[in-house]
Amino acid sequence: MLKAIRGRLLWYVSDPETEGAAARRYVEDGLLVMRDGLVAASGEAAGLLPMLPEGTPVADHRPHLVTPGFIDAHIHYPQTQVVASFGATLLEWLERYTFVEEQLFADPDHAAAGARFFLDELLRNGTTTASVYCTVHPGSVEALFAESARRGTRMAAGKMMMDRGAPPPLLDTAEGGYRDAKALIGRWHGSGRQLYAISPRFALSSTEAQLAAVGQLVREHPDCLVQTHLSENLREIEAVAALHPADRDYASVYDRFGLLGPRSLLGHCLHLSEEEFELLHARDAVAVFCPTSNTFLGSGLFDWARMRDPRHPIRVAVATDIGGGTSYSMLATMGEAYKVLHLQGQSLTPDAAFHAITRGNAIALGLDHLIGSFEPGRECDAVVLDAGATPSMARRLERVRALEEELFLLTTMGDDRCVAATYVMGEAAHRRG
Ligand SMILES: [Zn+2]
C-alpha cells in the first residue's frame, strides 16, 4: 500500500559535528513516499508526484517541517507522576518520591493505564522510539510492550533489576531477577518492533550476586541493549566507592561483570575520571546526556566536548530521563542541552541537536539501519513540526531567514505544542487538536 507525506523534509545522512551542512538532507517541497510503512522514496515532490499511481493518498503538511520521529535514549515510564517533585537530589529523590510511586506498578491495571498514558504522551511529543525503564515487576514490562505492540511503535524496555537499597516490595533476587528478565526476553525481544533492554537500576541497587547474574544475561543475549545509570551524583559515587572498595571507580564495577559494551546505554556520566573515560572508550559504550534531569536534580553538567576528545572519544546519546527530567519533549531537552553546554563554554549547533534526537540516537541504540532517517528502506516514523505554534514563536518566526534559525527556535522555545502530527510506520498516530 503506497502513501505519501508532503512537506519540508529534513534528515541527516552523517554527523553534522564532523561533516557540517553536508550531513543534512533538506528538501523545501519534499515528498516522503511510503510502501507498507517503509520509506520507498524521499525527495523533491515535483519529481516524485508524477510517479505515484492515481489516487495515492498524500497527506499535505506544507509549510511544516517533517523529520524522522524523535528517539529518547533514557526514560522511566513508571515516573509520569514523579515529575516535578520538589527539593531533592538523587538519593533522597529516589527514596522520598520514586520508590513510593514505583511500588504501585505491582498492580497490572495501574501498569496498563500508565503505559497507555506514557505512549500517548511520547507520540504527542513526536517521540516514536525510546529506551524505557519499567519497574522491578515483570507485569510492568508486559504492560508497556503490549501497549507498544498494539500501536506498532518501536520501543526498547526492560525490567528494573534491583535486589538491595530499596523498600522490600521493590526488590527482586539475583536468581529471580535473572529468571524474570530471561522470560521477558524470550517473549518480547524481536517480537514485532519490540526490543529488550537489560536494566539493572545502578550499582547501589544490585548485590554482587545480582550483577553477576546480569552479566550472565548480557553474555547470553548479546543482541539485547543494556541500560543503567553511571556517575550521576557525587554522593551516589561516594556510596558506590564505599560499597565496592576493591574497584578502581564506578565504571569498573560494571566492567567487572561484563556490563560495558557497544550496546550499553549509561545514563548521565557526569563526573567521570580520566580512567573512566578511557574505559568507556575502550568498551565503545554510550554516555546518555539527560540535560533537564541533570539541572533539575542538581546533579551536574554533562561535558560533551570531553566526550568528543580524540584521545578517548565516547559515543553520546540524548534523553529526557522523565521523571528526574522535566519535559517529555526532545525539543525542550535539546534547548536545555544547549544551555548546559553554553555554561561550560561549549556550543551545540541546531544541526547537531536535530541529528542527536534522530539519527544520532538511532546509532546509539544500534537501530540506524531501521529508524532515524528517511533513506529508502527505513521504517517510516515521522514528526511534523510547526515552528510558529505559539504566538511568541510565530512572532519570532517572522524574523527567521535560515533553516538553522528555525531549528534553533524549535529547540529553544518549542515543545509538544509544535508537534502538528506524528506518524508511526506511515500511519498517523497523533494529530494536534
Ligand atoms: Zn534514569
Side-chain angles (χ1 to χ4, degrees), residues 297-377:
L297 290 176
S299 302
L301 303 178
F302 185 90
D303 195 339
W304 184 292
R306 205 170 162 208
M307 301 287 167
R308 291 263 170 183
D309 186 333
R311 289 172 302 160
H312 46 60
I314 294 173
R315 297 162 62 209
V316 170
V318 290
T320 62
D321 191 28
I322 289 289
T326 54
S327 172
Y328 291 82
S329 170
M330 292 306 295
L331 297 174
T333 297
M334 297 321 287
E336 191 84 347
Y338 173 85
K339 294 174 196 168
V340 165
L341 298 198
H342 211 20
L343 276 169
Q344 302 173 88
Q346 301 175 22
S347 183
L348 181 69
T349 67
D351 275 320
F354 269 81
H355 176 264
I357 62 182
T358 54
R359 179 177 177 271
N361 273 359
I363 293 171
L365 270 63
L367 298 174
D368 50 309
H369 58 300
L370 297 172
I371 55 173
S373 94
F374 289 149
E375 294 298 295

Side-chain angles (χ1 to χ4, degrees), residues 74 76 229 268 321:
H74 179 134
H76 299 255
H229 300 79
H268 308 299
D321 191 28

Side-chain angles (χ1 to χ4, degrees), residues 71-75 118 122 127-132 154-157 365:
I71 301 166
D72 187 342
H74 179 134
I75 186 167
F118 177 75
L122 289 195
T127 298
T128 48
T129 289
S131 193
V132 184
R154 185 172 277 291
M155 291 287 152
L365 270 63

Side-chain angles (χ1 to χ4, degrees), residues 79-402:
Q79 296 179 13
T80 56
Q81 293 178 303
V82 176
V83 185
S85 291
F86 180 79
T89 56
L90 176 67
L91 300 180
E92 304 86 55
W93 175 85
L94 283 171
E95 249 171 68
R96 220 191 285 168
Y97 305 114
T98 305
F99 288 160
V100 178
E101 196 65 34
E102 289 193 1
Q103 293 182 47
L104 304 176
F105 283 72
D107 172 8
D109 292 337
H110 182 80
R116 279 196 300 277
F117 172 84
F118 177 75
L119 288 172
D120 279 345
E121 191 61 18
L122 289 195
L123 294 170
R124 258 174 27 77
N125 280 277
T127 298
T128 48
T129 289
S131 193
V132 184
Y133 288 83
C134 304
T135 61
V136 73
H137 318 96
S140 73
V141 188
E142 292 286 348
L144 196 271
F145 276 138
E147 191 60 29
S148 175
R150 200 176 67 72
R151 296 166 190 244
T153 44
R154 185 172 277 291
M155 291 287 152
K159 178 199 117 69
M160 198 75 97
M161 297 172 84
M162 44 197 296
D163 67 346
R164 74 164 159 204
L170 278 188
L171 298 182
D172 57 9
T173 61
E175 207 177 286
Y178 169 87
R179 211 175 37 238
D180 288 345
K182 186 105 184 155
L184 288 163
I185 291 169
R187 236 180 347 272
W188 288 106
H189 184 63
S191 162
R193 302 184 82 195
Q194 312 314 314
L195 299 165
Y196 198 83
I198 297 166
S199 309
R201 179 170 224 126
F202 66 154
L204 291 184
S205 62
S206 290
T207 60
E208 299 251 325
Q210 178 159 71
L211 290 171
V214 174
Q216 190 182 336
L217 265 185
V218 172
R219 280 192 303 281
E220 290 168 354
H221 301 280
D223 54 335
C224 285
L225 288 163
V226 181
Q227 58 179 357
T228 189
H229 300 79
L230 172 65
S231 194
E232 176 174 3
N233 168 288
L234 294 174
R235 278 191 39 225
E236 168 210 17
I237 295 165
E238 278 171 27
V240 171
L243 214 50
H244 299 279
D247 290 292
R248 188 189 61 196
D249 47 45
Y250 196 159
S252 298
V253 178
Y254 293 143
D255 193 49
R256 180 154 57 89
F257 296 97
L259 307 193
L260 302 182
R263 303 187 65 70
S264 303
L265 304 170
L266 307 169
H268 308 299
C269 296
L270 299 181
H271 310 285
L272 300 179
S273 66
E274 194 61 19
E275 290 79 10
E276 285 178 303
F277 268 93
E278 280 159 19
L279 178 57
L280 297 196
H281 166 70
R283 297 289 179 265
D284 204 21
V286 177
V288 185
F289 180 17
C290 309
T292 72
S293 171
N294 298 158
T295 52
F296 180 75
L297 290 176
S299 302
L301 303 178
F302 185 90
D303 195 339
W304 184 292
R306 205 170 162 208
M307 301 287 167
R308 291 263 170 183
D309 186 333
R311 289 172 302 160
H312 46 60
I314 294 173
R315 297 162 62 209
V316 170
V318 290
T320 62
D321 191 28
I322 289 289
T326 54
S327 172
Y328 291 82
S329 170
M330 292 306 295
L331 297 174
T333 297
M334 297 321 287
E336 191 84 347
Y338 173 85
K339 294 174 196 168
V340 165
L341 298 198
H342 211 20
L343 276 169
Q344 302 173 88
Q346 301 175 22
S347 183
L348 181 69
T349 67
D351 275 320
F354 269 81
H355 176 264
I357 62 182
T358 54
R359 179 177 177 271
N361 273 359
I363 293 171
L365 270 63
L367 298 174
D368 50 309
H369 58 300
L370 297 172
I371 55 173
S373 94
F374 289 149
E375 294 298 295
R378 298 300 194 286
E379 298 166 350
C380 194
D381 296 338
V383 53
V384 180
L385 296 169
D386 172 7
T390 68
S392 57
M393 291 184 78
R395 183 160 173 82
R396 177 64 181 87
L397 192 59
E398 287 173 11
R399 290 285 181 273
V400 164
R401 295 290 170 265

Side-chain angles (χ1 to χ4, degrees), residues 6-30:
R6 190 169 183 177
R8 292 188 294 127
L9 303 184
L10 170 72
W11 75 99
Y12 295 87
V13 294
S14 58
D15 186 348
E17 280 197 279
T18 52
E19 307 300 319
R24 182 210 294 159
R25 293 287 174 274
Y26 175 65
V27 190
E28 182 78 32
D29 183 6

